[in-house]
Amino acid sequence: METGSITTPFGRRSMTLGMLASQVMAGEIKPDQSVDKWKLFRLLCDAKPLLGISDRALAVLNALLSFYPKNELAQGNGLIVFPSNIQLSLRTHGMAEQTVRRHLAALVEAGLLVRKDSPNGKRYVRRDRAGEVDEAFGFSLAPLLARAEEIEQLAAAVMAERLHVQRLRERITLCRRDIAKLIEAAVEEEIPGDWQGLYHKFRDLIEGLPRSPTTAQLELLLDELTALRSDILNRLERRVKSTKQRGNADYIERHIQNSNTESISELEPSFETKQGAIAEPDNDRGAVTVEKGRGKAAHPIGEKEEEQSRRPGVRNDGGGLKSFPLGLVLQACPEILAYGPDGAIRNWRDLMAAAVIVRSMLGVSPSAYEEAANVMGPENAATVMACILERGGHINSAGGYLRGLTRRSEEGEFAIGPMLMALLRANAPAGRKVG
């Protein structure tokens, strides 16, 4: 049986105060104290971050526990195991013996094991005539039993921290969704304000989060997002209150009917086909035929735009479509910038000049573009050409696509807004997702 005396390590390994403290603690185990070894091991896995041990060290400890004959760790059962490094290597699925020795040393340093070395440093057991263990040399599991309550508390703390982080991520996700949808609603309703600036601020907050954020960083991000959401809500609430005070019933009706249930955080580019599909223009409805395998299905390119444009109360400018700020168009379609005069676009005239170059490059006929400009208005036609350029790799026939959009625009079934919003999100710098 284990004598409980203080032992020093064999060979060149030095004795430390930490080893001494572990042995002293092991000597204070209560006679009736016991714990299920596998339940304790699961708690150790949870408490691993606070104990400073690795996954592979836990694998070695798991192998050591498998050599303990009882399920209950108890002083009366003896707490020393004495497998060789070869046996440990086999039970750790072929871990190299040198690696096994390194992780055994880490477990001793962490205060989870105590070495009880023999005079020659070998691990073995001496039995009496009845076959009972008289004295064993190897590794004592007594520190595990002595620290069982502490390990349980550490595991509970880790689990509580993990739950706290999970809730932080959930709340951050909700804030991100709210901010994105509120900004989109403000843009769609044409409410005055620097919504583009607020969107940039929102993206800067998200992209400033490290790949593996700490709890403090998540808490700070949540506070900043909550403040930004409150600011946006206050702006929108002031607008609603001022509208009610004016008694403009028509505006209230338009506000309710034109509320967009889609979000820039959820919309995909409406004219983007799935990867691996072949897109061809449909001559009747300006749709694309998505061919995948042997089957074909017609899918309107502007499906979300059609749904949006059918809602009553949408204000039409120029060629029958809503107009958007030039800065928003360039942010959603940055590729058009390379075709502007001197590689820059400073005003709508520059954008329309760039659109003519892009039209020729994509093989759109002059008549198709002229028809689009007459129906949509010159600025909106240039905007559409910028969108087509942005997703040119997904459109098989730019000319057929533009003619289809022109026809639907004539019928009042096409809107540019959802297309721009989808591209705006697609071209935003990639930020780290939370939750």
Side-chain angles (χ1 to χ4, degrees):
M1 300 296 290
E2 186 177 3
T3 62
S5 60
I6 299 299
T7 61
T8 57
F10 170 78
R12 296 181 179 180
R13 291 190 293 267
S14 59
M15 184 69 175
T16 65
L17 289 178
M19 293 180 185
L20 180 61
S22 296
Q23 294 188 43
V24 171
M25 182 185 299
E28 298 174 353
I29 298 175
K30 299 176 183 178
D32 59 344
Q33 186 175 352
S34 66
V35 64
D36 184 280
K37 65 179 181 180
W38 298 123
K39 179 181 177 182
L40 182 61
F41 180 74
R42 288 191 293 271
L43 293 173
L44 276 169
C45 292
D46 289 334
K48 175 186 65 175
L50 297 182
L51 291 171
I53 52 177
S54 65
D55 296 336
R56 304 199 76 186
L58 284 174
V60 174
L61 181 59
N62 180 76
L64 281 173
L65 289 174
S66 69
F67 284 100
Y68 189 77
K70 305 287 186 179
N71 280 333
E72 293 286 327
L73 289 177
Q75 186 78 27
N77 296 332
L79 293 171
I80 294 180
V81 289
F82 38 86
S84 66
N85 287 340
I86 295 176
Q87 292 174 316
L88 286 174
S89 177
L90 291 174
R91 294 207 184 180
T92 53
H93 307 287
M95 186 183 295
E97 291 185 38
Q98 183 178 1
T99 306
V100 169
R101 288 194 292 270
R102 185 170 68 251
H103 290 304
L104 286 171
L107 291 169
V108 172
E109 186 177 354
L112 300 177
L113 295 178
V114 168
R115 293 182 185 272
K116 186 179 180 184
D117 288 342
S118 66
N120 61 2
K122 303 294 183 180
R123 299 171 204 152
Y124 59 86
V125 62
R126 184 177 293 115
R127 301 180 184 273
D128 57 20
R129 292 183 178 180
E132 298 293 331
V133 175
D134 182 41
E135 190 171 15
F137 297 98
F139 291 100
S140 173
L141 303 176
L144 291 177
L145 181 59
R147 299 180 63 183
E149 185 176 348
E150 175 195 353
I151 292 170
E152 185 176 1
Q153 293 174 353
L154 292 176
V158 170
M159 293 299 294
E161 178 70 8
R162 189 177 302 164
L163 181 60
H164 178 55
V165 169
Q166 179 183 352
R167 289 176 176 171
L168 283 175
R169 291 183 180 275
E170 289 173 352
R171 293 173 65 188
I172 287 172
T173 299
L174 292 175
C175 271
R176 290 182 61 176
R177 185 180 69 191
D178 292 346
I179 291 170
K181 289 191 173 185
L182 289 171
I183 291 177
E184 182 192 11
V187 172
E188 290 295 322
E189 295 291 344
E190 299 175 345
I191 296 176
D194 184 17
W195 302 112
Q196 187 174 354
L198 289 173
Y199 181 76
H200 280 305
K201 181 179 179 181
F202 166 57
R203 294 305 309 174
D204 289 342
L205 290 175
I206 299 302
E207 292 156 13
L209 193 68
R211 178 178 290 272
S212 300
T214 63
T215 304
Q217 289 171 327
L218 289 175
E219 290 173 344
L220 178 60
L221 176 62
L222 178 60
D223 291 341
E224 292 174 333
L225 289 177
T226 301
L228 180 58
R229 181 177 60 181
S230 298
D231 181 26
I232 295 171
L233 282 173
N234 289 336
R235 294 171 185 240
L236 295 178
E237 287 174 0
R238 285 196 298 269
R239 177 69 174 183
V240 171
K241 290 178 181 179
S242 65
T243 303
K244 287 182 178 180
Q245 291 173 356
R246 291 196 304 267
N248 190 341
D250 292 338
Y251 179 86
I252 295 296
E253 180 180 0
R254 183 175 77 87
H255 174 76
I256 295 173
Q257 292 174 340
N258 194 41
S259 293
N260 189 1
T261 58
E262 309 280 0
S263 170
I264 61 176
S265 62
E266 297 171 353
L267 283 175
E268 294 296 331
S270 55
F271 51 98
E272 179 178 358
T273 60
K274 293 185 179 179
Q275 185 175 4
I278 301 174
E280 297 179 355
D282 187 310
N283 293 329
D284 295 332
R285 288 289 300 162
V288 294
T289 300
V290 179
E291 181 178 348
K292 200 167 187 179
R294 297 184 179 178
K296 292 186 178 182
H299 172 69
I301 296 174
E303 183 176 359
K304 295 192 189 312
E305 291 92 328
E306 290 177 355
E307 178 185 354
Q308 174 71 14
S309 60
R310 289 194 192 102
R311 294 175 183 142
V314 177
R315 184 175 66 81
N316 294 328
D317 296 329
L321 295 178
K322 292 176 62 178
S323 60
F324 290 86
L326 178 61
L328 182 63
V329 174
L330 296 179
Q331 184 183 358
C333 309
E335 289 190 16
I336 195 73
L337 290 168
Y339 300 93
D342 300 323
I345 294 177
R346 304 171 184 83
N347 48 49
W348 282 106
R349 181 180 299 174
D350 290 348
L351 179 63
M352 288 185 281
V356 172
I357 297 174
V358 169
R359 172 202 65 74
S360 177
M361 182 186 70
L362 295 179
V364 177
S365 65
S367 61
Y369 185 70
E370 183 179 356
E371 182 183 2
N374 290 334
V375 173
M376 302 179 185
E379 295 178 354
N380 287 330
T383 299
V384 170
M385 283 306 305
C387 293
I388 293 175
L389 174 65
E390 200 66 29
R391 289 293 180 178
H394 301 272
I395 300 173
N396 201 34
S397 173
Y401 178 56
L402 180 61
R403 287 188 185 276
L405 294 184
T406 302
R407 282 195 294 272
R408 287 206 303 280
S409 183
E410 285 181 313
E411 298 168 4
E413 297 179 350
F414 170 66
I416 300 177
M419 180 189 296
L420 283 176
M421 291 303 168
L423 286 173
L424 185 67
R425 183 179 183 278
N427 288 326
R432 173 76 177 162
K433 286 186 179 183
V434 181

